[in-house]
């Protein structure tokens, strides 16, 4: 490459705060000091203090010991020539000390306010440790449950991910970046990382521009609109150009189209990895490609530090380009107020109490758990109102309870992935919480049955069956430990690991109501236990307050309100399976697929006889996106729209009456979907456009009103522009992506 990269400094560079003028500062920096600002080093890097002292580090990652951070900042501010403070980066993904549910669990709450509050507490705790920048939210659309990092995501839907991502950013960054407990957020991983082939982490991604723009990019645009300070490039090789060298993403879209003014950090060593990808001959070329693409800071590698100087000196990269990268970074340091004080949080007084944090953690866990199944059991004598369903359990009717399973009493495992600073000592396990709740009234017999979820022996089964047989009801805590999801922890088989399905078959022999609670970092294929289990609560990794939340749900103190942020496949071979798929030329539907002995063998009532489904799995997921049961029952009636036709730019009022016809107070998440029947490009069969989580007393009805603007119908079509295309739309309002009342309208 011989092209010279020249970039202009922002014309509208923000006015300097206090005494600091970024322009002036850049004017006084040597080239080496400039390149230093582009360097993020791990806290374990050799000679870190000396490197900071000589102005060759802009950011340090993975140091969250307040004393050590203070010392590093002191060296930067007092001993380096220009006194530029450091960005202290740390992965604060779902809590710092107080671990909240994993992001996928938080997504199941469908509650942006809750997500924001969780992030606020995380930011406060992190800021108190000197951290001023985090690498969250992860807003990669994730349609593949094999991918370990689905745990960090908000699931498969662009709108839900956009809303929750923006909420997390608001929580982390606060009202102002220089607030006492504000830390800079980072929208990651730009872009398309979630589609790595077969769910293998770091693998190739191939996303056509249409899908990239309609599905994968909207959450990033929403993050930008929410004021996110930084972006991180993805590890992925996107359509042949790894993200860290992808000018189309980083410059054309992020800077030129969207006008992003913050800075972009590479993912861990992903600049040097351009060589491994095979698009750079050496680290020098890798640095050149990344700088030209628009990566401002290098995380944990030294391609910039070693090569940018000579690239500038030899004229391959213009000094103005480096100045621009430095400016992007310094502007964020300025916005964070770091030039005025590096330890604002230490002086702050309005800290959240431990009790309030734990209360929030419990609320988040409560709202994230999804009730997937709840049905009659002939022997179900433990039921609250003598109704047929296995849940909720009745404290009055039970004399004894068997708590079984490898996930019942695991303070660490219930926290999930990415918990560098998580305090396991804060965890309350389900076993302990249940014992606490029932006190002396109910005898609790505990049998772990398996050493871990991966155990393959049946050694503990006899003791478990013995406990189960002697009790009035069984609660089995199954799932996967935290190590089975997260970065570089993908699985090819997403059944319950080890012998857990066999354990459930064994427990069934006790003939007692059998309630399964799954703790996991991803959707699992649990079809084989649905037959045996009378009720299934899917709890993800719920964080420190897993126990009290699950106990309240089991005993009906609170009704479950989580809704799936991602479709659950029946078998792994269905992946990718997602609700907002295209119709295809030969769509499968319930009326047309013929089943013989559980096998979908063909289609009737269609002229073509063959449709898009698997012989052995049909075409539907095990549980659809948006799905989740409650202890109450909700009815949807009177779906009305304000007009049948509206012009582009218009707003449609959508009104529906939702009634709680059950006997308990509960949340319902009212979901609005549309389908654009004809487009210049094929359109999804349904798209979530809005949702409202409402609290209804037993017997209460509420009119829910949505305002649907035609902008929400815009998409990237064949004209390569985002616009709404006039025509007919179907509209549904309902409890999940499968069910609901339907009407239609036109955009004219
Ligand atoms: C991950 C990022 C993370 C970074 C720093 C990388 O391996 O992909 O998401 O923020 O490490 O820990």
């Amino acid at each position: 490459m011989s092209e010279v990269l020249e970039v202009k400094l922002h014309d509208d560079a923000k006015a300097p705060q206090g005494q600091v003028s970024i322009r002036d500062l850049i004017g006084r920096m040597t080239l080496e000091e400039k390149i230093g600002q582009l360097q993020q080093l791990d806290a374990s890097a050799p000679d870190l203090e000396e490197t900071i002292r000589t102005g060759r580090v802009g950011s340090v990652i993975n140091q969250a010991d307040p004393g050590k951070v203070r010392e590093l900042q002191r060296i930067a501010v007092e001993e380096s020539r220009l006194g530029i403070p450091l960005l202290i980066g740390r992965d604060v993904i779902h809590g710092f000390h107080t671990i909240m549910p994993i992001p996928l669990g938080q997504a199941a709450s469908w509650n942006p306010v809750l997500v924001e509050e969780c992030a606020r507490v995380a930011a406060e705790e992190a800021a108190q440790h000197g951290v001023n920048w985090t690498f969250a939210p992860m807003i990669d659309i994730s349609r593949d449950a094999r991918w370990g990092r689905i745990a960090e995501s908000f699931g498969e839907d662009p709108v839900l991910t956009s809303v929750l991502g923006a909420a997390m950013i608001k929580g982390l960054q606060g009202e102002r970046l220089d607030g006492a407990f504000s830390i800079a957020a980072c929208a990651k991983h730009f872009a398309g990382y979630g589609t790595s082939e077969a769910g293998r982490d770091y693998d190739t991604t191939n996303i056509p521009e249409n899908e990239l723009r309609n599905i994968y990019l909207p959450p990033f645009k929403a993050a930008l609109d929410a004021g996110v300070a930084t972006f991180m490039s993805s590890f992925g090789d996107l359509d042949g150009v790894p993200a860290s060298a992808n000018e189309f993403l980083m410059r054309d879209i992020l800077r030129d189209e969207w006008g992003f003014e913050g800075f972009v950090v590479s993912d861990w060593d992903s600049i040097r990895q351009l060589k491994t990808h095979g698009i750079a001959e050496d680290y020098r070329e890798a640095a050149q490609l990344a700088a030209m693409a628009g990566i401002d800071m290098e995380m944990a590698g030294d391609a910039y530090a070693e090569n940018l100087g000579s690239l500038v000196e030899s004229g391959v990269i213009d000094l103005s380009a480096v100045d621009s990268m430095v400016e992007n970074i310094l502007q964020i340091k300025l916005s964070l107020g770091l030039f005025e004080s590096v330890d604002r949080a230490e002086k702050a007084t309005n800290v959240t109490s431990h009790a309030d944090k734990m209360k929030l953690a419990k609320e988040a866990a409560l709202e994230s758990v999804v009730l997937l199944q709840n049905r009659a059991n002939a022997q179900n004598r433990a039921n609250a109102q003598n109704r047929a369903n296995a849940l909720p359990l009745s404290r009055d009717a039970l004399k004894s309870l068997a708590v079984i399973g490898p996930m019942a009493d695991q303070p660490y495992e219930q926290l999930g992935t990415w918990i560098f600073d998580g305090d396991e000592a804060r965890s309350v396990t389900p076993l302990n919480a249940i014992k606490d709740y029932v006190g002396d009234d109910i005898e609790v017999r505990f049998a772990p049955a398996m050493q871990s979820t991966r155990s393959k022996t049946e050694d503990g089964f006899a003791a478990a069956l013995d406990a189960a047989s002697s009790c009035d009801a069984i609660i089995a805590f199954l799932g996967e430990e935290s190590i089975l999801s997260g970065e570089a922890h993908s699985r090819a088989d997403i059944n319950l690991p080890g012998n857990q399905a066999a354990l459930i078959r064994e427990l069934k022999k006790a003939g007692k109501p059998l309630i399964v609670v799954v703790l996991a970092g991803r959707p699992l294929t649990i079809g084989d236990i649905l037959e045996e289990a009378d009720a299934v609560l899917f709890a993800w990794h719920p964080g420190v307050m897993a126990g009290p939340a699950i106990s309240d749900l089991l005993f009906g103190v609170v009704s479950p309100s989580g809704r799936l942020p991602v479709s659950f496949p029946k078998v792994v071979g269905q992946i990718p399976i997602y609700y907002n798929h295209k119709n295809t030329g030969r769509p499968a539907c319930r009326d047309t697929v013929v089943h013989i002995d559980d096998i979908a063998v063909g289609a009737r009532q269609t002229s073509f006889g063959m449709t898009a489904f698997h012989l052995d799995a049909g075409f539907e997921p095990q549980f659809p996106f948006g799905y989740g049961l409650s202890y109450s029952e909700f009815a949807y009636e009177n779906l009305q729209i304000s007009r049948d036709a509206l012009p582009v730019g218009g707003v449609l009022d959508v009104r529906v009456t939702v009634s709680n016809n059950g006997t308990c107070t509960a949340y319902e998440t009212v979901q609005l979907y549309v389908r654009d029947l004809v487009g210049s490009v094929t359109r999804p069969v349904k798209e979530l456009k809005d949702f409202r989580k409402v609290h209804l007393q037993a017997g209460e009805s509420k009119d829910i009103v949505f305002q649907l603007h035609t902008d929400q119908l815009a998409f990237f079509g064949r004209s390569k522009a985002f616009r709404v295309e006039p025509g007919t739309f179907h509209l549904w309002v309902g409890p999940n992506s499968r069910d609901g009342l339907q009407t239609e309208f036109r955009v004219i």
Side-chain angles (χ1 to χ4, degrees):
M1 292 235 188
S2 56
E3 199 183 336
V4 174
L5 178 68
E6 208 172 332
V7 177
K8 294 219 164 46
L9 286 178
H10 296 167
D11 290 335
D12 56 349
K14 294 182 191 81
Q17 263 176 24
Q19 300 303 307
V20 181
S21 154
I22 298 299
R23 293 276 177 99
D24 174 59
L25 196 52
I26 293 175
R28 289 189 287 129
M29 293 169 88
T30 63
L31 179 57
E32 196 179 27
E33 284 166 336
K34 289 176 182 173
I35 294 168
Q37 286 304 307
L38 316 181
Q39 173 79 69
Q40 180 179 63
L41 284 182
D42 186 68
S44 65
D47 303 324
L48 179 64
E49 295 190 357
E50 187 52 21
T51 321
I52 294 173
R53 198 169 281 118
T54 49
R56 286 176 291 139
V57 186
S59 172
V60 173
I61 182 172
N62 290 336
Q63 181 52 270
D65 174 315
K68 291 187 179 150
V69 170
R70 210 174 299 126
E71 176 58 7
L72 297 181
Q73 289 286 29
R74 193 196 61 74
I75 294 172
V77 173
E78 292 175 14
E79 297 185 9
S80 76
R81 194 177 73 88
L82 293 169
I84 301 175
L86 297 164
L87 284 166
I88 303 292
R90 185 69 161 167
D91 290 279
V92 184
I93 306 301
H94 53 112
F96 186 79
H97 281 339
T98 312
I99 298 296
M100 307 291 176
I102 54 170
L104 192 59
Q106 292 187 37
S109 76
W110 291 58
N111 186 342
V113 175
L114 196 65
V115 171
E116 182 182 337
E117 284 172 359
C118 289
R120 204 77 280 271
V121 165
E124 180 182 322
E125 290 183 347
Q128 284 168 333
H129 288 73
V131 172
N132 51 36
W133 178 26
T134 191
F135 310 110
M138 197 274 243
I139 44 178
D140 294 311
I141 294 298
S142 305
R143 292 170 162 178
D144 192 332
R146 294 170 296 187
W147 190 45
R149 302 198 78 168
I150 194 171
E152 281 175 69
S153 80
F154 291 124
E156 76 186 28
D157 183 67
V159 167
L160 186 62
T161 300
S162 297
V163 170
L164 300 183
M168 190 179 270
I169 291 162
K170 236 170 119 189
L172 294 169
Q173 299 195 160
E175 292 291 313
R176 295 170 53 99
L177 264 185
D178 60 359
F181 298 138
S182 294
I183 62 178
C186 182
K188 74 184 189 186
H189 305 85
F190 198 57
Y193 184 26
T195 63
S196 60
E197 282 181 354
R200 285 181 299 264
D201 211 357
Y202 316 125
D203 217 317
T204 301
T205 58
N206 279 304
I207 313 175
E209 187 178 354
N210 180 270
E211 199 175 329
L212 182 73
R213 294 204 182 247
N214 286 325
I215 303 290
Y216 293 91
L217 294 189
F220 288 95
K221 177 64 167 56
L224 187 135
D225 293 341
V228 75
T230 68
F231 269 60
M232 184 189 292
S233 64
S234 151
F235 280 128
D237 159 9
L238 190 77
D239 196 17
V241 185
S244 293
N246 200 310
E247 233 171 307
F248 170 64
L249 275 180
M250 303 296 168
R251 283 204 192 281
D252 299 354
I253 294 181
L254 187 58
R255 299 282 180 192
D256 298 346
E257 273 182 42
W258 295 357
F260 178 58
E261 291 193 336
F263 75 85
V264 180
V265 63
S266 77
D267 203 345
W268 189 278
D269 206 16
S270 66
I271 296 182
R272 293 194 306 190
Q273 286 166 16
L274 295 175
K275 175 169 180 271
T276 323
H277 275 290
I279 63 156
E281 202 160 324
D282 49 25
Y283 293 159
R284 186 174 196 271
E285 193 181 7
Q288 178 190 337
L289 291 175
M292 293 178 86
I295 307 293
D296 300 306
M297 181 182 280
E298 178 173 13
M299 179 188 283
D302 62 3
Y304 277 2
E306 293 294 319
N307 300 291
L308 273 186
S310 79
L311 285 166
V312 170
E313 276 151 14
S314 58
V316 178
I317 289 182
D318 197 273
L319 183 61
S320 67
V322 173
D323 286 351
S324 171
M325 294 154 82
V326 174
E327 189 196 6
N328 293 337
I329 293 163
L330 292 182
Q331 285 290 0
I332 295 301
K333 293 189 177 184
L334 188 69
S335 305
L336 279 163
L338 296 181
F339 287 100
E340 290 179 7
S341 163
V342 288
D343 55 9
R344 303 162 321 235
E346 284 181 18
K347 294 172 199 137
T349 48
N350 54 338
V351 294
T352 310
S353 70
H354 177 73
D356 281 348
K357 288 177 190 172
M358 297 302 271
K359 199 168 150 221
L360 179 64
K362 180 176 174 188
E363 186 55 41
L366 273 170
E367 292 200 28
S368 68
V369 177
V370 186
L371 179 63
L372 292 178
Q373 177 162 290
N374 192 16
R375 62 179 187 195
N377 174 289
Q379 286 107 334
N380 185 6
R381 292 180 296 268
N383 187 270
Q385 293 90 22
N386 268 339
R387 290 185 326 201
N389 289 345
L391 286 176
L393 296 167
S394 163
R395 189 176 161 159
D396 299 333
L398 290 172
K399 297 264 175 306
S400 56
L401 197 54
V403 174
I404 312 286
M407 294 297 282
D409 194 27
Q410 298 289 345
Y412 177 80
E413 306 303 345
Q414 69 187 37
L415 301 182
T417 184
W418 284 111
I419 51 153
F420 286 151
D421 305 286
D423 182 4
E424 174 189 341
R426 294 178 194 201
S427 285
V428 185
T429 66
L431 176 66
N432 288 334
I434 290 170
K435 280 185 178 164
D436 247 29
Y437 180 75
V438 301
D440 294 335
D441 300 345
I442 298 174
E443 186 202 346
V444 176
R445 288 193 64 186
F446 172 52
M450 299 167 68
Q451 236 179 10
S452 83
T453 66
R454 289 161 278 169
S455 304
K456 294 211 167 91
T457 75
E458 298 193 351
D459 295 352
F461 282 21
L465 184 58
D466 180 52
S469 306
S470 70
C471 290
D472 296 335
I474 312 161
I475 312 173
F477 288 90
L478 310 179
E480 45 175 32
E481 284 85 12
S482 49
I483 190 78
L484 293 184
S485 58
E487 184 173 350
H489 288 80
S490 296
R491 295 179 59 201
D493 169 353
I494 55 167
N495 285 332
L496 283 163
N499 241 348
Q500 296 184 94
L503 173 64
I504 289 301
R505 285 193 292 276
E506 192 68 9
L507 294 175
K508 188 67 184 169
K509 293 180 186 160
K512 304 295 169 66
L514 176 53
I515 292 129
V516 174
V517 183
V518 182
L519 284 84
R522 57 160 65 75
L524 296 176
T525 41
I526 52 170
D528 53 351
I529 62 153
L530 290 177
E531 210 26 61
E532 282 87 17
D534 298 311
V536 178
L537 279 171
F538 206 91
W540 319 99
H541 286 133
V544 282
M545 289 296 268
I550 290 171
S551 169
D552 275 8
L553 294 170
L554 289 168
F555 286 96
V557 179
V558 177
S559 173
S561 64
R563 302 288 181 260
L564 295 180
V566 59
S567 308
F568 271 42
K570 292 178 195 157
V571 292
V572 78
Q574 285 185 299
I575 294 173
I577 185 163
Y578 45 91
Y579 85 96
N580 48 354
H581 59 83
K582 302 293 184 68
N583 202 35
T584 80
R586 293 186 166 186
C589 67
R590 279 183 162 178
D591 296 340
T592 59
V593 176
V594 179
H595 286 81
I596 299 176
D597 295 339
D598 276 353
I599 296 204
V601 289
R604 62 170 173 241
Q605 297 169 11
T606 55
S607 53
F608 33 80
M610 291 173 280
T611 64
F613 64 93
H614 287 113
L615 287 176
D616 48 359
F619 66 96
E620 289 179 297
Q622 188 77 58
F623 298 108
F625 173 81
Y627 178 82
L629 301 172
S630 161
Y631 295 153
S632 216
E633 278 158 29
F634 295 96
Y636 287 70
E637 291 161 305
N638 304 328
L639 176 60
Q640 288 168 0
I641 49 176
S642 55
R643 41 190 170 163
D644 295 334
L646 74 163
V648 174
V651 177
L652 187 70
D653 286 346
V654 180
R655 181 180 292 267
V656 71
T657 308
V658 181
S659 307
N660 180 346
N661 291 342
T663 53
C664 65
T665 297
Y667 279 113
E668 170 69 339
T669 298
V670 184
Q671 302 166 33
L672 187 157
Y673 295 88
V674 302
R675 175 171 176 188
D676 186 349
L677 290 189
V678 180
S680 61
V681 295
T682 56
R683 307 291 296 125
V685 295
K686 267 189 184 177
E687 293 176 282
L688 180 74
K689 290 297 167 190
D690 206 347
F691 57 92
R692 195 79 41 80
K693 189 164 184 171
V694 286
H695 197 246
L696 291 168
Q697 308 287 337
E700 187 184 356
S701 291
K702 270 188 190 158
D703 278 354
I704 311 298
V705 184
F706 293 101
Q707 297 205 304
L708 183 68
H709 195 284
T710 57
D711 282 356
Q712 291 168 266
L713 306 171
F715 63 98
F716 186 79
R718 216 182 297 182
S719 67
K720 300 220 165 213
F722 258 95
R723 61 181 200 90
V724 52
E725 294 181 5
T728 303
F729 292 76
H730 283 171
L731 180 150
W732 296 260
V733 179
N736 59 58
S737 63
R738 188 188 58 202
D739 310 312
L741 301 175
Q742 187 186 341
T743 184
E744 68 175 50
F745 65 94
R746 277 178 305 117
V747 173
I748 48 178

